[in-house]
Amino acid sequence: MTSVTLPPRLAEIAEDFGALPDRDRLQLLLEFSRELPPLPDRYADHRDLLEQVPECQSPLFLAAEVDGDRTVHLFFDAPPEAPTTRGFAGILHAGLDGLAADEILDTPGEFSSQLGLHDLVSPLRLRGMAAMLARIKRQVREQLASS
Amino acid sequence: MALPYDSAPKFADYAHPEKLVTTEWLAEHLGDPGLVVAESDEDVLLYETGHIPGAVKLDWHTELNDPQTRDYVDGAGFARLMSEKGITRDTTLVLYGDRNNWWAAYALWVCTLFGHPDLRLVDGGRAKWIAEGRPLSTEVPQRPPTDYPVVERDDTRVRAFRDQVLAHLGRPLIDVRSPGEYTGELLHMPDYPQEGAVRGGHIPGARNVPWARAAAEDATFRSLKELEAIYAGEVGLRPEDDVVVYCRIGERSSHTWFVLTHLLGYPHVRNYDGSWTEWGNSVRVPITRGENP
């Protein structure tokens, strides 16, 4: 498999997954789903400000905000009864939140293939994670263009 | 050593009431010798977040499928899987899961290919168990391996293959996908080959009855009367019909297969598990677009 360059935190996450046997990978994904921070009030009270990612098999909403200094903040909302989708969101949050806009735009869309989850999680679901990243990038691009 | 059947009055109307148990029945029988409860979910992590105490996990993606060929495990593979889960040929295997038992019905259908004698679904599945405030556990049970016999898979009774469906055209077909998938619209979503097929639409002659119509709000199966209104009334199926059901990969249609076979009691219902991901990609098979069968 050709390896693509990932932002350091995301690379670390990929390494952590790679070092584990299959069974424990699901446990790690579960930890990420638990660590996904709740929405701040300004989104929790205005869910219409979030964008739905219909490619996910369970409801998933997200928003990306670009600061004045081009730092990106990410917000996700997924129900607890969809732990896999939450786990994917948790990985993206842990790996990308707080990075510079350019680092996010440079993150390869197919990075999920480096997590070693394709034997455990159906390909359709993994595409959901790629779709989240694609929508984050689009939101970042739109905000950069309008700033 | 099968467990007693659930005599809930609602089930008595169905053709095969022995195929269902209520959450009450299950709560009462948890831990009984001869019973194994298995959770099969669409979300592969859900079991890990908490499951019915003592339940084992049955994963459709990693355990029921052959890892190489697009097919199910063979007789030896199934025997190994059942042994690992502590299931004997005499075990009453009770299945439940998320999303109206969608995947649990799929697992039950796959187990049917191997003729496991006593298979039941929990009416209402995971959602009802949780809604009633019943206990969950994250403890993964370790059952001693069993001596499950190698029984060859029987693909002739409840499973249909592509060429059989081609020969079946003109007879009853039920497409249980969403209306958008049925008409072919959903393939037009930009940048996303969601259904994994190069053509959108349905098998000519297929009637569209989205699978979840058979489930009530609380994820239980609708009453016999309601089911008859849909499948006999709206679609005009008759018990003696030779029926093929399909969806995208055969999972949602397992739910409808269960309804037609075990609740309505139609004896000739087969599930086409190749479904749209095979049909919609096959060279020179006919398809129909739009709302008409």
Side-chain angles (χ1 to χ4, degrees):
Chain A
M1 196 193 323
T2 53
S3 180
V4 281
T5 313
L6 298 180
R9 267 188 291 140
L10 202 53
E12 219 172 279
I13 293 170
E15 266 171 44
D16 289 348
F17 271 101
L20 292 171
D22 285 359
R23 188 186 193 88
D24 297 340
R25 278 181 205 163
L26 281 187
Q27 280 302 328
L28 185 55
L29 187 60
L30 188 62
E31 279 170 36
F32 278 106
S33 85
R34 290 187 178 131
E35 285 163 10
L36 181 67
L39 286 176
D41 289 347
R42 67 179 190 281
Y43 283 115
D45 300 337
H46 294 279
R47 282 166 198 264
D48 52 305
L49 296 175
L50 300 166
E51 175 178 352
Q52 181 163 17
V53 182
E55 293 89 341
C56 291
Q57 283 176 302
S58 308
L60 185 281
F61 298 82
L62 60 79
E65 285 176 7
V66 186
D67 265 2
D69 65 353
R70 295 170 71 94
T71 303
V72 177
H73 302 282
L74 299 175
F75 306 92
F76 298 91
D77 185 33
E81 63 271 18
T84 300
T85 300
R86 278 185 71 86
F88 290 164
I91 289 172
L92 289 172
H93 188 272
L96 299 177
D97 183 62
L99 294 188
D102 294 327
E103 290 178 280
I104 292 202
L105 294 176
D106 287 344
T107 302
E110 67 278 17
F111 86 93
S112 62
S113 65
Q114 295 188 35
L115 298 175
L117 288 169
H118 39 273
D119 284 341
L120 302 173
V121 179
S122 76
L124 207 58
R125 282 189 163 279
L126 280 175
R127 268 187 250 154
M129 178 145 60
M132 288 186 216
L133 179 59
R135 279 162 200 273
I136 288 167
K137 287 185 183 179
R138 204 208 60 242
Q139 287 195 16
V140 167
R141 261 187 233 108
E142 283 171 2
Q143 289 173 54
L144 289 178
S146 66
S147 66
Chain B
M1 195 174 38
L3 269 74
Y5 295 129
D6 186 341
S7 57
K10 175 194 171 192
F11 299 162
D13 292 340
Y14 296 134
H16 298 287
E18 74 278 9
K19 290 293 176 183
L20 287 175
V21 300
T22 53
T23 48
E24 291 81 10
W25 183 97
L26 185 57
E28 203 177 300
H29 289 280
L30 275 188
D32 281 8
L35 172 73
V36 173
V37 183
E39 174 161 342
S40 203
D41 293 319
E42 196 260 343
D43 191 307
V44 295
L45 269 184
L46 212 43
Y47 173 88
E48 279 78 5
T49 67
H51 48 262
I52 295 179
V56 296
K57 176 181 180 177
L58 197 54
D59 187 317
W60 70 277
H61 182 61
T62 58
E63 295 183 324
L64 296 176
N65 285 322
D66 183 281
Q68 306 260 358
T69 311
R70 181 174 172 189
D71 202 352
Y72 301 104
V73 291
D74 59 11
F78 186 75
R80 200 160 46 236
L81 178 64
M82 293 295 103
S83 169
E84 278 168 18
K85 309 281 176 192
I87 297 166
T88 72
R89 193 72 176 164
D90 298 326
T91 297
T92 294
L93 178 55
V94 171
L95 296 150
Y96 75 99
D98 63 349
R99 300 204 171 192
N100 302 332
N101 277 327
W102 163 3
W103 296 93
Y106 186 55
L108 185 142
W109 177 77
V110 174
C111 292
T112 303
L113 296 173
F114 296 94
H116 186 87
D118 192 359
L119 297 165
R120 311 184 196 181
L121 277 186
V122 181
D123 196 26
R126 184 181 165 94
K128 187 154 189 281
W129 182 272
I130 291 174
E132 291 167 347
R134 297 182 190 275
L136 294 176
S137 163
T138 52
E139 200 180 308
V140 177
Q142 293 300 325
R143 293 170 179 277
T146 65
D147 196 13
Y148 198 94
V150 174
V151 179
E152 283 318 312
R153 206 178 60 221
D154 179 357
D155 291 332
T156 62
R157 286 188 317 111
V158 299
R159 188 178 186 193
F161 295 99
R162 193 195 68 164
D163 289 349
Q164 294 170 328
V165 178
L166 266 173
H168 181 87
L169 294 182
R171 280 179 285 167
L173 274 159
I174 306 291
D175 182 323
V176 312
R177 297 173 301 160
S178 61
E181 292 169 275
Y182 176 83
T183 59
E185 262 169 60
L186 266 188
L187 278 188
H188 298 272
M189 275 176 63
D191 305 328
Y192 190 65
Q194 185 178 13
E195 290 308 311
V198 294
R199 293 285 183 277
H202 54 269
I203 300 177
R207 300 285 302 269
N208 184 211
V209 185
W211 69 282
R213 287 192 61 197
E217 290 289 300
D218 63 354
T220 58
F221 288 105
R222 293 199 177 277
S223 70
L224 180 74
K225 215 173 203 156
E226 291 169 318
L227 295 175
E228 279 175 345
I230 297 171
Y231 297 100
E234 284 176 36
V235 183
L237 289 183
R238 291 162 307 174
E240 64 273 22
D241 281 341
D242 182 1
V243 186
V244 170
V245 296
Y246 73 94
C247 57
R248 186 181 67 87
I249 55 170
E251 13 66 89
R252 287 172 284 182
S253 46
S254 295
H255 189 272
T256 301
W257 168 84
F258 183 89
V259 168
L260 295 177
T261 302
H262 293 311
L263 305 187
L264 290 171
Y266 296 0
H268 311 293
V269 183
R270 285 173 297 159
N271 183 23
Y272 168 39
D273 58 276
S275 275
W276 197 253
T277 49
E278 179 180 44
W279 196 274
N281 282 319
S282 285
V283 176
R284 284 190 158 175
V285 302
I287 68 163
T288 301
R289 283 215 168 113
E291 289 172 11
N292 294 323

